[in-house]
Amino acid sequence: MFEALTLQLGYNAVLVTLGSAALGVAAGAVSAFLYLRKRALVSDAVSHATLPGLALAFLIMVAFGSDGRFLPGLMVGSALSAWAGLWTVNWITRQTRLPEDAAIGAVLSVFFGFGIVLLTIIQTMQSGRQAGLEGFLLGSTAGMLRSDALVIAAGGALVLLATFALRRPMLMTAFDEGYARVQGLNTARIDMALMVLVLAVTVVGLKIVGLILIVAMLIIPAVAARFWSENATHVALLAALFGGLSGYVGAALSATAPDLPTGPIIVLVAFALFALSLFLAPSRGVLASALRHRRLQHDVHLRQGLLALAHNQPVYEAMTQRMLRAHGMMRADGVPTDAGRIAAAAALQDETRWQELRRIEELAMLASRDDGLTPITDILTADQVALIDNRLKPQGVI
Amino acid sequence: MTPVELAAENGEIVSENLDGAPLALRGVTVSYGADPVVFSVDMTIAAGSMTAIIGPNGAGKSTLLKAALGIVSPLAGRVTCWGKPLESQRKRIAYVPQRASIDWDFPTQVRDVVMMGLHHELGLLSRIHGHHHAKVTECLTRVGMQDFADRQIGQLSGGQQQRVFLARALAQGADLYLLDEPFAGVDAATEAAIISVLKELRDAGKTVVAVHHDLSTVEEYFDRVFLINRRRMGEGPVAEAFTQDALHATYGGRLGDGLVARAG
Amino acid sequence: MGFEFVALSLPPLVIGTLAAMACALPGNFLLLRRQSLIGDAISHVVLPGIVVAFLVTGMITTTAMMVGAAGAALLAVILIEAIRRLGKVEPGAAMGVVFTAMFAGGVLLLEQSDTSGVHLDVEHALYGNLESLIWLDAVGWASLTDPIALAALPPELPRMGAALVLLSLLTWLFWRPLKLSTFDEGFARSLGLPTTVISLAIVTAAALAAVAAFDAVGSIIVIAMFICPPAAARLMTNRLESQVAWSLLFAALSAIFGYVLAGYGPLWLGASASVSAAGMIATVSGLILALAALFAPHRQA
């Protein structure tokens, strides 16, 4: 395994590993733009729609007397039919009342179904028996030709370069379409360029990952990256990193043993990165937000309990009672402790100050920071608090 | 006036004996994420009143209504209707959601939408009889939409859609009506039609609560207001609670000035 | 003709039609709830489900496969919901993450385990084996009234029929809450309807249809039938009741024409062998949708 990760296997394996790493970086970056544009699943339609083109390209090449397995030819064919699929999704969404998800689903299933029809035709042909086109469904790097490996490595590098060149306008469009337009960017053309990149990633990835799983490389890195940052640039960079890591590790691992298919391994590495992000990311992660929610719930109940004590009201909710007792604010029989009385008075004072703050014209904007839990002394300076207290004194509140 | 209402008007936080107010919230806090959108809100809606819930954008007006209906579950606090748990009183409550909250391209007709208001009566399988159709027609007539019964809902204007929603609520035959921004994006004629229906309801002893954003019409339309900006900022009869000071506090400093001037 | 048709073509034709209709029925609600692609996700995770079932039981039985597939579908739905809610990930992306990862896991397990002795492969899960569902005991039309011959019908037929009947019954029984909560979830909740349960139930019904159908007809038809007939039907009418009826009609038409074209089309063109019926049925459903998108009375909002 160490040998694989350090590229000490055969020449083909090295080419494929480098190619899928480059492809992974490009796919990851593209996935970020796609996700930020809320069009992640368009890639699903694009990838499934490659199948009829793949089969037709094969049929045409055979009809002209060639072998039919010429990879660049198959790639052109699949790109053309994927483009047709993409066009159809857009046409259905624009011209009919159907929503985009239905258009995507219709295109992917119908194009794929038609592709299967063509595949069964190919299987009945003399030259079709060894066509191995099924390999494109799930990807297969076993027994790959030297030329194919070169095409993939070059293709991966090319897509990566194109993504890098287009990063600024795509980022701007993904971040704020209106602003990008004001800046003079043609957002429609940038969206088109994004789709071309999706197409390119799909077509280059077909042979390695297969058309069913290439979708994963165009979705998972972005979703994983999104957990770590609110900043679009960082999301794109991180997604590129995740994508590259999945491509590299996945391809290298699969080269170590015959029964480790490249596509699934790449996808599972990406998924592992996603699962880590889902649980562990500091702010948006599940663990962090569960803890935050629990803390918020505790804070709310404690605060509301203290306010009830301050108003001499009975505390009804079980959780509020529990919180008060746990913090030593209330005795088991419901009577506030001394600490409880002090804390309740402090809470009430804080409330009163917040209420008064809203009536002071020059400070009223600060009242928007009042979320019920933040002590006013965290927001205002000592002078400002003194000002409020001065206004409250005549009312005899403090 | 009941003691509860008197207490509520004096700005006191009404104690536990809710005396069967159609809707009472106690210490309701709602959060969608890191901080509360609605914090520890007490609200008591007096029977037979017509109350406007007002407050700036993002102040938690709609959230409060949804919490009152159990559509969002609060982090803390409780809701009672006529002194009983909300769940046992659902049949007496009608809800008019924000018009923008649903997909108007849904394949259904005006009549069908209003028929949905009869859901409690119809249940799963009971047949739709002539009197059900008559009820639907009657409700559509009350909002002036009787000629549109067989239209597809997507073909209606915004105001017409809002009237259909109101007709559906009328069909529920409820005692408490909760409306979320019923006047948002509707034409003047619709606004007048809706308010006259709501006043009819009030005059018939029903209770009406509406999230409202146009301060200039509060005094004309409603008899009570509830002010909210994440917290309860005031509550009571329009004449007492809808004051410059309260609006200042609710809307904050300068932002409030223009609005208050309009509100007179 | 009579014998050949009844024994070789009638069973797959009927099974295909039943499967298409069973998928189209819940597809209507998925379409209106913007969840069409749930069908896509479910049909992808069927493969890992069968593989795991095979690894656990060590053999290929229909029951084990169905249980495995159903388990995988349910797990996928739960994972999608969990990722969507806990991670605040948009639904489409959550689906994409779950079904690709599960599918990849299925393929990997398949490659790792020794399945050479049994008929278990990716192609089977994708295309099904509609053409092989023949009725050997049939001697002609008369067999349709012969209980002994009927007992030898391919088991997929009664199974698919039962699935369709069950789904139709559930749809009929819960029609009002289904329609109400799909149209206006907030209002439905204010009435006290359990909207979360309802939306889970719809997805479960879709999973049921997919699982019952995939063995006979393959995943391609399943995805196509979830989406294409309801989508075409939506363009024909503005009434949900009629939309459902149209979708069932379109599903049946796709199955019948698709099967006939796949079986006889190549012969008419002079070729000797037939093409994939599953692929052809999906293709025909696409053609119907294309015609609807071009000419249907309510194609535009």
Side-chain angles (χ1 to χ4, degrees):
Chain A
M1 186 182 294
F2 175 74
E3 285 166 354
L5 288 173
T6 51
L7 299 172
Q8 290 173 22
L9 293 173
Y11 184 63
N12 266 10
V14 171
L15 275 182
V16 169
T17 306
L18 290 179
S20 38
L23 183 72
V25 173
V30 170
S31 78
F33 301 125
L34 212 52
Y35 185 51
L36 294 173
R37 297 290 281 158
K38 299 208 187 319
R39 302 197 69 190
L41 276 174
V42 168
S43 59
D44 205 11
V46 169
S47 65
H48 283 79
T50 53
L51 190 59
L54 202 64
L56 279 176
F58 180 85
L59 286 170
I60 290 168
M61 286 193 286
V62 168
F64 280 96
S66 96
D67 172 30
R69 278 179 293 180
F70 180 57
L71 187 57
L74 294 175
M75 284 164 77
V76 170
S78 57
L80 288 177
S81 79
W83 189 253
L86 198 56
W87 182 86
T88 313
V89 169
N90 287 336
W91 184 85
I92 291 177
T93 319
R94 247 194 352 262
Q95 296 295 319
T96 76
R97 68 194 324 155
L98 295 173
E100 189 179 38
D101 68 323
I104 289 172
V107 165
L108 85 85
S109 59
V110 173
F111 273 63
F112 194 68
F114 183 58
I116 296 293
V117 169
L118 293 175
L119 275 191
T120 50
I121 292 177
I122 290 175
Q123 277 162 352
T124 63
M125 296 174 16
Q126 280 297 312
S127 52
R129 297 203 189 280
Q130 284 91 38
L133 287 188
E134 289 81 12
F136 284 94
L137 290 181
L138 299 172
S140 82
T141 47
M144 187 186 277
L145 298 173
R146 170 75 41 97
S147 60
D148 289 355
L150 274 171
V151 168
I152 288 165
L158 221 67
V159 182
L160 181 56
L161 266 177
T163 312
F164 186 72
L166 286 168
R167 70 193 185 286
R168 288 224 174 84
M170 287 200 301
L171 209 53
M172 230 148 113
T173 314
F175 184 63
D176 184 347
E177 189 176 356
Y179 178 72
R181 231 181 261 145
V182 172
Q183 292 293 301
L185 288 177
N186 185 337
T187 52
R189 261 176 53 194
I190 292 162
D191 271 341
M192 175 94 95
L194 177 58
M195 286 304 140
V196 171
L197 286 176
V198 168
L199 213 75
V201 167
T202 309
V203 168
V204 176
L206 276 188
K207 183 82 184 164
I208 313 174
V209 188
L211 65 86
I212 298 177
L213 288 178
I214 188 72
V215 185
M217 294 189 75
L218 286 164
I219 295 180
I220 300 181
V223 182
R226 183 68 184 84
F227 281 105
W228 298 91
S229 175
E230 305 287 333
N231 174 315
T233 314
H234 294 169
V235 171
L237 282 172
L238 211 55
L241 176 72
F242 286 167
L245 215 59
S246 325
Y248 180 78
V249 175
L253 276 184
S254 92
T256 59
D259 52 1
L260 289 177
T262 319
I265 299 282
I266 292 179
V267 176
L268 290 173
V269 172
F271 182 75
L273 289 171
F274 160 80
L276 281 178
S277 311
L278 172 69
F279 285 105
L280 300 180
S283 160
R284 296 173 65 98
V286 169
L287 218 59
S289 51
L291 286 175
R292 201 169 43 232
H293 181 81
R294 213 178 131 78
R295 203 168 51 230
L296 180 68
Q297 197 169 24
H298 283 183
D299 290 355
V300 163
H301 278 275
L302 187 61
R303 178 75 169 197
Q304 289 187 202
L306 288 175
L307 289 175
L309 294 185
H311 289 292
N312 274 325
Q313 288 169 339
V315 177
Y316 282 92
E317 280 185 85
M319 178 153 191
T320 315
Q321 293 179 349
R322 258 203 323 279
M323 292 310 302
L324 286 173
R325 274 194 225 109
H327 284 81
M329 304 294 178
M330 196 172 80
R331 296 197 328 232
D333 58 4
V335 177
T337 61
D338 288 341
R341 274 182 235 285
I342 295 167
L348 184 62
Q349 184 190 39
D350 198 44
E351 290 281 301
T352 320
R353 283 170 170 170
W354 274 118
Q355 296 283 4
E356 189 59 25
L357 174 65
R358 295 170 187 273
R359 297 188 161 77
I360 305 175
E361 194 150 335
E362 54 272 25
L363 296 181
M365 290 318 266
L366 288 168
S368 64
R369 304 282 295 275
D370 173 22
D371 58 11
L373 300 173
T374 314
I376 199 165
T377 45
D378 285 7
I379 306 292
L380 301 192
T381 62
D383 292 349
Q384 288 168 327
V385 175
L387 174 75
I388 291 176
D389 288 352
N390 271 331
R391 288 169 55 107
L392 288 172
K393 248 176 223 153
Q395 300 168 29
V397 187
I398 288 182
Chain B
M1 220 181 267
T2 66
V4 179
E5 287 168 56
L6 277 172
E9 262 161 49
N10 296 336
E12 285 168 29
I13 298 173
V14 183
S15 75
E16 271 309 310
N17 180 13
L18 303 173
D19 239 23
L23 179 64
L25 275 62
R26 285 296 166 269
V28 168
T29 297
V30 186
S31 167
Y32 295 123
D35 51 359
V37 191
V38 166
F39 180 76
S40 194
V41 165
D42 290 3
M43 177 166 85
T44 309
I45 298 296
S49 69
M50 199 156 144
T51 307
I53 298 179
I54 57 176
N57 285 331
K61 303 187 292 282
S62 293
T63 302
L64 185 71
L65 208 59
K66 286 183 183 150
L69 284 154
I71 294 175
V72 297
S73 37
L75 204 60
R78 44 203 206 112
V79 178
T80 53
C81 297
W82 293 280
K84 302 194 185 82
L86 166 68
E87 286 308 322
S88 64
Q89 302 297 310
R90 288 213 179 268
K91 287 183 186 173
R92 298 177 67 188
I93 305 170
Y95 171 48
V96 179
Q98 264 181 42
R99 193 163 50 83
S101 68
I102 71 145
D103 171 19
W104 287 93
D105 195 39
F106 194 87
T108 194
Q109 272 64 41
V110 167
R111 173 178 295 282
D112 281 0
V113 174
V114 179
M115 196 70 83
M116 289 175 187
L118 298 174
H119 185 78
H120 284 307
E121 208 172 310
L122 288 170
L124 284 187
L125 292 173
S126 62
R127 288 182 66 92
I128 295 173
H129 292 288
H131 70 269
H132 294 123
H133 283 293
K135 174 89 182 165
V136 167
T137 309
E138 180 210 318
C139 294
L140 280 171
T141 310
R142 283 177 74 181
V143 299
M145 288 292 291
Q146 65 279 15
D147 297 335
F148 294 84
D150 295 315
R151 286 283 185 92
Q152 204 263 324
I153 52 167
Q155 297 165 354
L156 304 179
S157 72
Q160 290 168 334
Q161 290 173 346
Q162 193 67 58
R163 291 194 212 190
V164 172
F165 262 14
L166 182 59
R168 179 176 68 179
L170 291 177
Q172 288 181 263
D175 297 316
L176 170 63
Y177 293 79
L178 301 175
L179 303 91
D180 199 347
E181 301 253 9
F183 306 115
V186 305
D187 51 288
T190 298
E191 185 157 338
I194 292 176
I195 202 65
S196 93
V197 171
L198 295 182
K199 283 186 169 163
E200 278 170 32
L201 287 172
R202 191 252 331 258
D203 295 344
K206 314 286 188 189
T207 308
V208 178
V209 180
V211 170
H212 191 56
H213 63 269
D214 182 4
L215 294 183
S216 66
T217 51
V218 168
E219 286 168 309
E220 186 188 338
Y221 291 172
F222 296 93
D223 45 40
R224 290 175 66 91
V225 286
F226 182 89
L227 296 115
I228 179 173
N229 187 350
R230 192 155 4 188
R231 298 161 170 283
R232 168 188 187 276
M233 303 301 297
E235 180 177 16
V238 171
E240 292 162 32
F242 192 64
T243 61
Q244 195 129 353
D245 188 43
L247 287 169
H248 248 291
T250 309
Y251 286 80
R254 256 158 294 151
L255 180 66
D257 282 345
L259 299 162
V260 178
R262 265 167 77 204
Chain C
M1 169 66 200
F3 157 70
E4 207 175 281
F5 179 79
V6 173
L8 302 180
S9 293
L10 190 61
L13 204 55
V14 174
I15 293 169
T17 309
L18 292 174
M21 290 167 74
C23 291
L25 192 56
N28 282 292
F29 291 98
L30 296 179
L31 175 78
L32 295 171
R33 289 170 166 258
R34 305 275 184 275
Q35 286 185 317
S36 288
L37 289 164
I38 275 278
D40 179 34
I42 291 174
S43 46
H44 277 91
V45 303
V46 157
L47 175 80
I50 342 175
V51 177
V52 169
F54 168 72
L55 291 178
V56 170
T57 61
M59 55 190 160
I60 301 273
T61 61
T62 309
T63 323
M65 280 170 59
M66 301 277 274
V67 170
L74 233 63
L75 177 67
V77 168
I78 293 168
L79 281 179
I80 291 169
E81 246 341 82
I83 290 177
R84 195 174 73 75
R85 292 202 181 176
L86 296 176
K88 300 204 168 60
V89 175
E90 61 160 302
M95 262 180 238
V97 170
V98 170
F99 83 75
T100 54
M102 287 180 70
F103 191 81
V107 176
L108 183 64
L109 279 179
L110 199 58
E111 298 275 329
Q112 293 271 303
S113 54
D114 178 29
T115 50
S116 50
V118 291
H119 181 68
L120 178 65
D121 50 51
V122 177
E123 278 84 7
H124 174 75
L126 285 175
Y127 323 164
N129 58 344
L130 194 52
E131 293 89 339
S132 67
L133 303 175
I134 50 176
W135 186 14
L136 288 172
D137 287 33
V139 292
W141 289 104
S143 301
L144 286 177
T145 55
D146 173 7
I148 300 169
L150 281 176
L153 271 172
E156 284 83 356
L157 201 154
R159 195 200 308 152
M160 216 49 251
L164 179 59
V165 168
L166 178 65
L167 288 173
S168 309
L169 267 176
L170 288 172
T171 311
W172 173 72
L173 187 60
F174 294 109
W175 179 260
R176 282 178 190 153
L178 280 173
K179 182 173 172 180
L180 220 168
S181 65
T182 303
F183 171 62
D184 189 343
E185 190 163 7
F187 180 71
R189 278 213 224 174
S190 81
L191 291 177
L193 289 175
T195 51
T196 316
V197 175
I198 292 173
S199 72
L200 249 168
I202 291 174
V203 179
T204 311
L208 177 78
V211 169
F214 86 90
D215 178 41
V217 298
S219 297
I220 306 170
I221 299 195
V222 172
I223 313 174
M225 290 305 134
F226 270 133
I227 299 169
C228 294
R234 176 65 191 90
L235 306 179
M236 297 299 292
T237 170
N238 271 330
R239 290 191 68 85
L240 184 56
E241 290 77 3
S242 333
Q243 180 192 316
V244 170
W246 275 110
S247 74
L248 293 175
L249 176 71
F250 286 152
L253 285 179
S254 308
I256 294 168
F257 279 104
Y259 184 79
V260 170
L261 272 179
Y264 302 100
L267 300 179
W268 300 332
L269 294 175
S272 57
S274 56
V275 298
S276 158
M280 202 46 127
I281 292 173
T283 309
V284 172
S285 76
L287 291 177
I288 291 177
L289 175 58
L291 287 175
L294 286 169
F295 306 113
H298 298 287
R299 60 187 180 277
Q300 274 155 0

